[in-house]
Amino acid sequence: MFQHPFDALGLDQLRERESAKWRVYPPDVLPAWLAETDFPLAEPIQRALQAAIARHDAGYATRGQLGQAFAEWSGAHWGWAPDPDDTRLVVDVVTALAELLRICSAPGDRVVIDPPVYPPFAGVIEQHGRVVAPVPLARGDAGFAIDLAGVERAYRAGARAHILCSPHNPTGIVHSRDTLGTIAELAQRHGVWVISDEVHAPMTLPGAEHVPFPSVSPAAAARGIVLTSASKTWNLAGLKAALVIACGAEARALLGQLPLDLPYHAGLFGVIAGAAAFREGEAYRSELLRVLDRNRQRLGELLSERLPGVSYVPPQAGYLAWLDFRALGWQEEPARRLLERGKIALSPGLSFGAQGQGWARLNMGTSAELLREAVERMHSALT
């Protein structure tokens, strides 16, 4: 029977990894929490890193070929090819957020987020003396969506920035062009900077279309800054390299205020691997999308069979599943019960904001076998 290469790594091999996903919890716990995949590295990335080691190339990082490689890839896939000179190298998205908030806002300023959302957004806002201005996602029959009326109210109330998760983590929604266009118009009207975290965008799945924020309109280009990386799609988070991109004159001027030494905090291996991913990793990405499309459908089937009380809307992008356990009477923190009774680690819903009460995030970027095992462990927590 054929086994897909992305299903080839077994539990014993995965437990040999030194990454946080596999080291934080004891060996009897199945980790399905941190946003890294259980798949092999793409061969072109392996070759690029091996070549760097062979030439003893492990010094400080510069942007190198990463900005050009991303621009070429983005132009081919999204029709948006930013000038490589408009990109800045940073260590990761969270560091970039901190640096951008420092120069585009002042202590006490309000910064909009759309919870439930990636936990470090709120953390970095508070750590730098800004005020979190939550605009919770709206929820309808089709799933979650940005609350545009709430965004307008928050902008009108004096927000200075909006950290936009596009695609959204943890719900996996892909924002429409119309939604992004409305946000851009409101941002221009009220003088708000939109910092768009698009790190999951290359994993947009069949049936959805990612639209880079600055490509939407002149207003979006003027008020938008994009954060991106190869880290999630090609599983390179530990190599530490991301890009900050500005397309409008004001945004370029803002990036000009970033510290000159910021690139040196990034990892050279991350730059090398990221450039290889964008230039030679398309075959790998295509297979990844096929496997994730399979997994999101299979997860729905498994939940229907084993946990019919758990509500789940398949993500439009990425490998994260946002699960609603409230119908089971688990109103507090399902992740704690799952860990204690099922020996499976999910990301706690409340870490994504108060809207996550009764929810948990499952990482389904794994093999078919371990996805089934994850659901079985969740089922065991019922008894």
Side-chain angles (χ1 to χ4, degrees):
M1 183 177 178
F2 171 76
Q3 184 182 47
H4 195 284
F6 282 27
D7 292 328
L9 293 179
L11 194 54
D12 290 343
Q13 292 170 289
L14 290 167
R15 291 205 184 280
E16 294 175 356
R17 292 185 175 183
E18 294 288 340
S19 66
K21 180 181 179 183
W22 290 94
R23 292 295 170 182
V24 166
Y25 291 98
D28 62 337
V29 172
L30 180 66
W33 62 294
L34 201 59
E36 61 182 73
T37 69
D38 296 339
F39 305 135
L41 280 179
E43 290 185 7
I45 292 173
Q46 294 183 55
R47 291 196 301 270
L49 293 174
Q50 289 163 355
I53 291 171
R55 64 176 179 264
H56 311 284
D57 191 4
Y60 286 105
T62 67
R63 184 182 63 202
Q65 295 298 309
L66 183 56
Q68 182 69 39
F70 172 78
E72 293 170 356
W73 186 92
S74 177
H77 291 276
W78 297 327
W80 177 61
D83 188 329
D85 289 338
D86 287 338
T87 65
R88 298 289 186 275
L89 177 67
V90 292
V91 60
D92 55 31
V93 164
V94 175
T95 300
L97 285 176
E99 293 293 340
L100 289 168
L101 289 179
R102 184 181 58 80
I103 57 179
C104 80
S105 65
D109 282 347
R110 296 166 63 82
V111 180
V112 174
I113 59 173
D114 307 283
V117 74
Y118 182 51
F121 286 3
V124 76
I125 293 167
E126 293 170 344
Q127 288 162 16
H128 290 80
R130 279 63 175 170
V131 178
V132 176
V135 179
L137 294 178
R139 192 178 186 197
D141 294 338
F144 290 96
I146 295 284
D147 179 0
L148 293 173
V151 168
E152 182 173 18
R153 286 192 296 270
Y155 287 9
R156 201 182 320 121
R160 292 293 298 147
H162 182 173
I163 304 176
L164 182 69
C165 205
S166 179
H168 189 270
N169 170 9
T171 66
I173 60 173
V174 173
H175 309 307
S176 71
R177 182 178 295 272
D178 288 345
T179 292
L180 297 175
T182 300
I183 291 172
E185 292 172 9
L186 292 170
Q188 187 173 54
R189 186 186 311 161
H190 295 283
V192 175
W193 287 106
V194 178
I195 305 171
S196 185
D197 173 5
E198 303 188 6
V199 72
H200 292 270
M203 292 185 291
T204 300
L205 296 169
E209 177 188 9
H210 172 71
V211 181
F213 186 78
S215 72
V216 171
S217 66
R223 301 306 304 176
I225 297 169
V226 166
L227 310 180
T228 191
S229 175
S231 61
K232 297 302 180 185
T233 304
W234 287 274
N235 209 35
L236 308 173
L239 299 186
K240 293 299 182 184
L243 293 172
V244 183
I245 306 173
C247 297
E250 289 182 78
R252 292 187 187 102
L254 192 70
L255 263 57
Q257 299 177 47
L258 291 172
L260 294 178
D261 65 347
L262 203 56
Y264 301 139
H265 298 283
L268 180 58
F269 283 1
V271 173
I272 292 168
F278 287 121
R279 287 192 162 150
E280 303 177 70
E282 190 55 28
Y284 178 95
R285 188 183 78 99
S286 295
E287 286 305 305
L288 173 69
L289 296 183
R290 290 190 184 96
V291 169
L292 296 183
D293 189 23
R294 177 203 70 182
N295 281 8
R296 66 174 173 170
Q297 295 179 48
R298 183 58 181 145
L299 177 59
E301 295 166 356
L302 290 167
L303 290 173
S304 294
E305 295 168 5
R306 304 297 286 160
L307 288 163
V310 175
S311 176
Y312 156 71
V313 176
Q316 296 175 299
Y319 50 79
L320 303 172
W322 187 232
L323 305 181
D324 183 358
F325 292 85
R326 292 174 298 172
L328 300 180
W330 298 7
Q331 299 296 329
E332 295 301 323
E333 190 58 273
R336 184 183 302 114
R337 177 172 182 150
L338 294 168
L339 180 61
E340 293 173 352
R341 300 191 181 187
K343 298 296 182 182
I344 179 169
L346 273 63
S347 297
L350 282 172
S351 67
F352 297 86
Q355 296 75 18
Q357 184 171 357
W359 298 69
R361 191 189 73 178
L362 169 72
N363 180 341
M364 58 180 183
T366 191
S367 67
E369 179 183 354
L370 290 183
L371 185 62
R372 180 194 56 77
E373 174 68 14
V375 175
E376 286 301 317
R377 291 191 181 217
M378 289 193 288
H379 173 76
S380 71
L382 287 172
T383 59

